[in-house]
Amino acid sequence: MRISKKKVTSLIVLFLFLVGLIWVTVYLKRVASYKQNIKGTVFEEIDFANVSDGIYTGEYDVGFIYAKVEVSVENGKIVSINILEHKHERGKAAETVIEKIIEEQKINVDAISGATNSSTVIKKAVENALKSEQ
């Protein structure tokens, strides 16, 4: 029994189409999960006066964006925030949100325009670092 080249080519094309369809489906599911994670991110109020002096590490991951930060607290105030890791798409500009957090001494500051989701992830990483110490 001999299989024609036309039939082999058709099977290869069908196989590649199915692989592509599966890849697109998985990608779209990841995007939907990422959007849901961002939308579901809620910030809690943290009383910095209840946080002991020290250096704390926190992280937050929503799928396409991840941040790991180191937060230094002295005398009930955030004195510095270092971004240890920031996986982002186009959200590099969001890293300046740490300056706002230090200046305003609160976590839920306005996001950086054009980098809202990365701003959210960085702020939540800061909160997670400090939440473990309250």
Side-chain angles (χ1 to χ4, degrees), residues 26-45:
V26 168
Y27 177 77
L28 291 176
K29 185 172 175 23
R30 285 186 65 211
V31 168
S33 175
Y34 156 74
K35 287 181 178 182
Q36 184 70 25
N37 289 340
I38 285 291
K39 188 177 180 179
T41 301
V42 178
F43 294 98
E44 298 175 27
E45 285 294 321

Side-chain angles (χ1 to χ4, degrees), residues 52-104:
S52 302
D53 289 0
I55 299 173
Y56 306 102
T57 304
E59 57 190 334
Y60 192 58
D61 189 353
V62 292
F64 289 104
I65 302 173
Y66 166 80
K68 184 175 183 178
V69 298
E70 184 179 78
V71 182
S72 296
V73 175
E74 289 179 15
N75 300 317
K77 293 186 177 200
I78 296 176
V79 293
S80 71
I81 301 170
N82 295 316
I83 296 176
L84 303 175
E85 195 175 338
H86 182 206
K87 181 181 88 174
H88 56 84
E89 291 179 331
R90 298 177 307 257
K92 178 92 172 129
E95 294 179 2
T96 60
V97 78
I98 63 173
E99 296 164 9
K100 286 183 173 186
I101 294 170
I102 295 168
E103 181 182 312
E104 296 181 31

